[in-house]
Amino acid sequence: MTRYPSPEALDKNRFGKARVIRSEAEALAAADDVASFWRKGSARRDQVQTLPWEELEYLSHSGLNAIRLPLELGGAGIATPVYLDVVRKLAMADSSLAQLYFVDSLKGYHIDQLAKPQAKFLAEQVLQGARFGNATAERVREDGADYGATFSRDGDHYLLSGEKYFCTGSVTSHWITVPGKFADGSQAVAIVPNGAAGLELGEDWDVVGQRTTFSVSASFRKVRIPADRLIFRDDEQPLAGAVRFAQTQLVHAALQVGMGDGALQTAHRLFRQRFVAGKTRDRLAELLLQWEADSAAAWAVVQYAARKSDKALSDRLVGTHRASLAAVATDEAKSLAYVYGPQWTQRLIDFLDQGDVAEALGFDRHWRDARTHSLHDPARWRQSFVGNYWLNGRAPPDLARRLVEEQQWNGLQALAV
Amino acid sequence: MTLESLAAADVERTARQFLLGQVNSEDLARSVAGDRLGALSAATIDDLTRPSGISASKPGAAALEVVRQSVSDAVAGQHVATSLLARWLLDSFFPRGGPKIPDAEVLTYADPPLPDQGIAISATAEQQGGWVLRGKFRSAPLAREAGWVVLPAASGDITLLVLLNADAPGVDFEPDEKGFGARAAVNGTFTLRNVRIEQDRSVVLSGEASSSLASNFTALDGLFSLAQEIGSLKAALWEARDHLQKRAHRWYDASPGRVRDDPLVLREFGRWWASARAADELFRSIVEALDAGGPVLEQAHAIAVAANYVGRLSDRFMNEIFELLGASIMRRQTGFDRHWRNRSARLGNRPYGSRPVANAPDLEAHTKDAMQ
């Protein structure tokens, strides 16, 4: 039976308390350090699918979980471009663990949007190195607001019931965030401690790539949620929500670039070790330059989109134009990154020699990881959104939905005044 | 405005800013007419020969100007790049910048202007109480307009860099046959018959200083070539967008509705747009580093990487974009094919080995960067 890390286990980290990161330089240095720790054994973890407790405790200890927390909550307030670079560096070493990381730290970033007591509690958790997994995905979903989990009031607390699917980080995190809805259609997000009564995590993670995310299914049977562990987001400006959502999508793009770059790093190592001179060397040298160029191109657009999203969120009220630029820039980034990862990780084959296909060496995991991850969000749709925006001025679907909500929200704000 | 449709003016303005859009402007008409006539318009030449204060000593600003001119007309972009490089050669190699050549006078250079491995120097120099030149060499663009040409010449083990007066006795210029593209950028062959060079118009290339300057030239050449690629790409993408927005007739077996709503068109166009964004961002970050005062040589690797990406992108785009635009784009009056012809002629006219895409920096430096 799998053991889960409850919040009480935070002070049992074998590496000691979580560090506090204060600057971008410290964040990038910490990312290099964690990546170096993760790189050892990455292929083996993929092979035997061991739960990566030691690696995740090292992550919690590094302080990287809190870098997106704003300064006033004790974090480092790291800007999105640098945060994405942290994700990319980690994904180069082990994309599954990098995915667990960003699921965590993203929650940290949104904490400042919450009511003060909730924000204070969650910030303290993040600063102590707590990890937050999610139970967001639905097995069947008609639209973005269609949730399989439901909330009901029960005295001074709430009850959470339902099924979730693809719950990334649920097995390895101290807390799980669960979006759901009430009978009247209103939405909320529950913060559920791992190991809570009524929470059951499946043992059904059996996939081709990203094997150590352990994104299992979860069921919730009247899980008791204290009132202050339920987050209502009704007062969030919809366009701000659109940009924050775009940022979560952008992290996936950074992950893809990291996966491609991890394979590139391996290709460079093999190239230096094996190809000293000759026509093969020249051909592979040209291939490496193309690989690096495609990496740089995808990454340049990821960084561009990151700056656009930070710019949009720097306004007290996010405007339509800036929100749309951030959203479509994210689609542009995904249009390239989701092609770059799978396309180039498979080129690693060109650098292999006889015998390198041994399963234990794990050279195939780069492609398996990138291809698996890419399928959650088909690049062809992102590319179409970009085309539709720049040819026809039509908003990408998520933004279009939020524009409708924005009109209603504006109406409510006016009434409140 | 429908709920999902954004303010059209905002999208248009932002698209135009990104691509430096020129559709429906006089520039477009000038560019198409210039392609037909094989000559730049008088207005374009006026624009190009007006003192601008732009020089390759500020390579970021200079590269942006090359992009701007290349968007308006590919040959205008070549014109600016060639002039900038020729003047940089003069300023860098000659003592105190060499003889002063007024801004309005056009300079070009032998291509390549500096000794380059694998490309023989075909002009020879002989001491006869001063240098006397003989031989033939091919020029970079602008040879027809050029009053002055910078070229290398060999004298035994010595290599000279020479500033040649194109009107001097013994200098003949034979322009190339009319090309399929870049028609207004006339390349050709100079023939030198005992051409006497004045004392202050030659320098001996030797030592590390010359070698370092040659590396700088290669980097600058790569930067301006990249700028031309970006400019041509933007011009063609803008015109393609305009055509798609107006295109009335869809293919009979295509999905119903307007061409601009065809899901396959949207996807393809989105891919091109995102790739153009990447090209622009790679270029922008190089310019930003140069504007911050960084030497161009430090950007050599970034330039080579960007050139590799943009070169491959342009190879595909200039050919495959036609597939979206339909047979109507092949009417000669649209002039759209000039983008493919101009680019192909520009690249095809360069000597083997000096095309930036094939001229990657050494791999060890490249490897070190990628491992960080």
Side-chain angles (χ1 to χ4, degrees):
Chain A
M1 186 65 190
T2 308
R3 68 182 170 94
Y4 305 120
S6 68
E8 290 75 37
L10 266 174
D11 57 0
K12 293 182 182 142
N13 189 325
R14 72 194 80 182
F15 298 102
K17 283 185 173 179
R19 292 176 179 153
V20 178
I21 289 174
R22 295 286 183 206
S23 69
E24 292 181 348
E26 283 179 28
L28 292 171
D32 284 334
D33 179 52
V34 172
S36 165
F37 189 82
W38 284 2
R39 197 167 287 119
K40 290 172 255 168
S42 172
R44 168 125 184 103
R45 285 193 297 276
D46 169 71
Q47 283 296 308
V48 298
Q49 292 194 65
T50 47
L51 281 160
W53 296 121
E54 191 175 354
E55 288 76 14
L56 291 176
E57 284 183 26
Y58 198 77
L59 170 69
S60 287
H61 167 69
S62 74
L64 283 174
N65 278 347
I67 60 173
R68 289 289 267 170
L69 270 184
L71 297 172
E72 56 271 24
L73 287 173
I78 294 294
T80 305
V82 178
Y83 167 59
L84 296 182
D85 205 12
V86 168
V87 173
R88 186 187 68 90
K89 282 169 180 280
L90 296 180
M92 283 175 74
D94 187 321
S95 72
S96 295
L97 301 187
Q99 183 140 358
L100 295 177
Y101 165 68
F102 97 71
V103 171
D104 276 1
S105 49
L106 206 71
K107 297 295 177 294
Y109 178 64
H110 294 301
I111 287 171
D112 64 319
Q113 302 299 313
L114 307 179
K116 227 173 184 176
Q118 281 181 327
K120 187 168 177 293
F121 170 77
L122 290 173
E124 283 168 3
Q125 289 290 306
V126 171
L127 285 165
Q128 288 175 54
R131 299 187 297 274
F132 289 70
N134 74 40
T136 303
E138 309 289 346
R139 199 174 287 273
V140 179
R141 197 171 201 182
E142 292 299 322
D143 61 49
D146 188 10
Y147 290 118
T150 58
F151 298 115
S152 57
R153 184 96 203 188
D154 186 24
D156 62 351
H157 60 273
Y158 297 94
L159 296 177
L160 163 65
S161 294
E163 307 286 334
K164 290 283 186 173
Y165 175 61
F166 244 119
C167 303
T168 302
S170 57
V171 173
T172 50
S173 297
H174 304 91
W175 298 89
I176 303 172
T177 55
V178 190
K181 64 184 177 186
F182 286 85
D184 66 359
S186 59
Q187 299 171 18
V189 178
I191 312 285
V192 181
N194 217 333
L199 162 64
E200 195 172 326
L201 298 177
E203 295 196 4
D204 50 0
W205 187 239
D206 181 18
V207 285
V208 171
Q210 292 217 296
R211 291 172 173 168
T212 51
T213 60
F214 297 96
S215 304
V216 300
S217 59
S219 69
F220 302 87
R221 302 272 178 272
K222 294 187 175 176
V223 176
R224 188 184 158 92
I225 312 291
D228 59 355
R229 298 286 181 272
L230 200 65
I231 297 169
F232 293 90
R233 304 298 293 274
D234 297 344
D235 56 346
E236 183 187 36
Q237 186 202 359
L239 283 182
V243 178
R244 289 196 187 95
F245 179 70
Q247 284 187 335
T248 67
Q249 297 306 300
L250 208 46
V251 187
H252 284 288
L255 208 61
Q256 278 289 340
V257 177
M259 286 188 258
D261 287 0
L264 173 61
Q265 196 172 36
T266 303
H268 271 296
R269 181 169 54 77
L270 296 174
F271 178 83
R272 281 198 314 276
Q273 287 169 354
R274 297 172 174 181
F275 302 98
V276 179
K279 279 185 183 171
T280 305
R281 184 185 198 279
D282 293 346
R283 189 179 71 78
L284 292 179
E286 174 61 21
L287 198 63
L288 281 173
L289 182 63
Q290 289 182 13
W291 192 336
E292 190 187 350
D294 282 5
S295 162
W299 186 240
V301 184
V302 170
Q303 291 283 292
Y304 162 81
R307 292 193 300 275
K308 288 287 172 200
S309 66
D310 275 359
K311 180 97 177 159
L313 289 173
S314 67
D315 293 333
R316 193 181 63 79
L317 275 180
V318 175
T320 307
H321 183 54
R322 282 190 174 171
S324 66
L325 287 182
V328 81
T330 300
D331 289 334
E332 289 174 11
K334 293 194 99 174
S335 294
L336 297 185
Y338 272 51
V339 173
Y340 165 69
Q343 189 174 61
W344 279 102
T345 47
Q346 73 173 346
R347 296 313 295 264
L348 188 56
I349 307 305
D350 290 340
F351 296 82
L352 300 188
D353 206 344
Q354 289 168 321
D356 284 346
V357 298
E359 219 172 24
L361 295 175
F363 284 121
D364 60 326
R365 76 185 189 285
H366 298 283
W367 177 82
R368 286 190 283 102
D369 286 351
R371 193 72 274 178
T372 300
H373 173 263
S374 72
L375 301 181
H376 302 123
D377 188 2
R380 65 183 185 277
W381 276 108
R382 298 287 172 179
Q383 293 161 347
S384 292
F385 299 159
V386 174
N388 210 4
Y389 180 85
W390 291 112
L391 258 188
N392 298 316
R394 286 200 203 105
D398 179 70
L399 182 64
R401 275 194 294 275
R402 311 271 188 161
L403 284 168
V404 175
E405 291 169 15
E406 182 83 0
Q407 289 199 333
Q408 295 161 350
W409 186 81
N410 281 335
L412 289 173
Q413 298 297 304
L415 280 177
V417 172
Chain B
M1 173 178 140
T2 64
L3 278 174
E4 64 163 21
S5 167
L6 299 160
D10 280 343
V11 178
E12 252 344 270
R13 180 174 48 80
T14 317
R16 184 175 287 268
Q17 278 171 356
F18 171 50
L19 295 180
L20 308 170
Q22 57 159 350
V23 167
N24 298 329
S25 72
E26 286 178 14
D27 277 351
L28 175 61
R30 269 194 220 165
S31 179
V32 174
D35 172 55
R36 285 209 191 108
L37 296 170
L40 291 173
S41 69
T44 304
I45 290 173
D46 275 356
D47 187 24
L48 292 172
T49 49
R50 196 177 301 129
S52 62
I54 290 171
S55 86
S57 63
K58 290 184 178 164
L64 283 174
E65 177 63 9
V66 174
V67 172
R68 195 179 73 80
Q69 291 291 353
S70 300
V71 168
S72 73
D73 188 294
V75 176
Q78 275 188 280
H79 199 295
V80 176
T82 303
S83 301
L84 285 166
L85 287 169
R87 284 187 185 274
W88 183 88
L89 286 166
L90 208 57
D91 292 344
S92 305
F93 282 92
F94 284 75
R96 294 177 298 283
K100 295 297 163 224
I101 311 290
D103 283 344
E105 292 205 38
V106 176
L107 258 80
T108 188
Y109 52 84
D111 197 10
L114 297 169
D116 194 359
Q117 203 175 6
I119 301 171
I121 299 171
S122 47
T124 59
E126 193 180 312
Q127 270 286 9
Q128 292 181 6
W131 292 107
V132 173
L133 302 188
R134 298 182 194 92
K136 288 186 174 188
F137 67 91
R138 282 195 49 81
S139 72
L142 310 186
R144 187 171 54 194
E145 295 88 355
W148 302 88
V149 189
V150 181
L151 75 150
S155 175
D157 295 339
I158 297 172
T159 306
L160 303 171
L161 193 64
V162 176
L163 176 64
L164 174 75
N165 183 340
D167 296 325
V171 178
D172 282 325
F173 173 65
E174 183 67 32
D176 289 348
E177 293 282 327
K178 181 182 170 189
F180 59 73
R183 288 173 180 151
V186 178
N187 298 63
T189 304
F190 281 92
T191 303
L192 310 176
R193 294 189 184 83
N194 297 322
V195 180
R196 190 162 285 281
I197 299 297
E198 290 174 29
Q199 192 67 33
D200 65 341
R201 291 185 186 158
S202 69
V203 287
V204 175
L205 297 177
S206 62
E208 279 185 23
S210 284
S211 166
S212 158
L213 285 171
S215 301
N216 273 285
F217 178 84
T218 304
L220 272 178
D221 186 24
L223 175 67
F224 294 156
S225 180
L226 173 65
Q228 289 176 71
E229 288 274 58
I230 303 256
S232 298
L233 187 69
K234 287 187 172 193
L237 185 56
W238 182 259
E239 283 175 47
R241 176 177 183 267
D242 188 63
H243 186 79
L244 279 173
Q245 287 176 327
K246 291 174 185 158
R247 195 178 150 197
H249 301 289
R250 62 184 176 83
W251 182 53
Y252 51 83
D253 275 343
S255 60
R258 299 180 303 175
V259 172
R260 62 191 287 179
D261 294 324
D262 177 337
L264 299 178
V265 168
L266 294 182
R267 184 190 175 194
E268 280 296 298
F269 188 78
R271 286 158 78 156
W272 292 126
W273 192 280
S275 303
R277 174 82 67 203
D280 196 55
E281 283 299 306
L282 290 174
F283 177 70
R284 191 196 53 74
S285 69
I286 293 167
V287 167
E288 216 170 77
L290 293 170
D291 285 349
V296 71
L297 214 46
E298 275 184 13
Q299 294 301 310
H301 181 72
I303 292 167
V305 166
N308 184 284
Y309 179 77
V310 180
R312 284 182 295 125
L313 170 63
S314 294
D315 279 346
R316 295 196 313 274
F317 174 79
M318 293 295 185
N319 171 40
E320 293 173 23
I321 189 66
F322 284 89
E323 218 268 331
L324 287 190
L325 305 179
S328 55
I329 200 65
M330 287 308 196
R331 286 192 195 103
R332 292 189 72 165
Q333 70 186 41
T334 68
F336 188 79
D337 65 313
R338 77 189 189 289
H339 296 296
W340 182 90
R341 288 187 288 102
N342 285 342
R343 174 174 185 269
S344 301
R346 178 172 63 81
L347 294 177
N349 245 332
R350 303 212 62 178
Y352 291 115
S354 72
R355 298 175 196 180
V357 172
N359 208 14
D362 80 282
L363 195 77
E364 289 311 312
H366 154 66
T367 303
K368 201 170 60 190
D369 283 354
M371 293 296 286
Q372 284 172 354

